[in-house]
Amino acid sequence: LIDEAMRAAAQKTVLGATLIDEFRRACRHWPRAKVEPRGKLRVMAPTLLMSGALDPVTPPHWAKRALESLPHGRHVVMPDAAHGISSRGCSPRLIRDFLDGVMVDATCLDAHRRPAFFIDFAGPVH
């Protein structure tokens, strides 16, 4: 639903319209459905939303809001993580299970611990 005026406004920012253009290219390959512009979108497909509890980019409350339009959606949160959890801990297995149609047991996310903080090239703080 991004129109040319919105793209032109983005073009004037530091990041420009690169992200908009990349999504447009990718979206050409996705199936489409007619959506009323002012209507509330509801996606009936099973959907897995994954958040890091400490994510400043896409915080968990955004996923909770998205769930309002995803009646078959499931939101899991990795407590001790920030952005980009899909490759951390047991997340790859959860994604595989979800894609295989297996009920996702996300309790394994609780075991993930963020890496120790590095203060220099000698390694993490102990």
Side-chain angles (χ1 to χ4, degrees), residues 20-69:
I20 292 171
D21 295 341
E22 287 180 18
F23 275 117
R24 282 183 171 174
R25 279 192 295 278
C27 288
R28 288 184 198 134
H29 304 283
W30 285 64
R32 295 188 164 109
K34 187 167 178 105
V35 176
E36 294 299 322
R38 299 194 190 278
K40 186 167 183 173
L41 178 66
R42 295 195 61 78
V43 176
M44 302 310 289
T47 308
L48 178 63
L49 305 173
M50 302 180 79
S51 300
L54 308 174
D55 189 345
V57 180
T58 52
H61 69 266
W62 286 12
K64 287 179 186 174
R65 185 169 178 213
L67 279 176
E68 296 170 8
S69 299

Side-chain angles (χ1 to χ4, degrees), residues 61-85:
H61 69 266
W62 286 12
K64 287 179 186 174
R65 185 169 178 213
L67 279 176
E68 296 170 8
S69 299
L70 302 166
H72 301 287
R74 170 93 190 274
H75 180 216
V76 298
V77 179
M78 185 177 278
D80 205 15
H83 192 70
I85 70 164

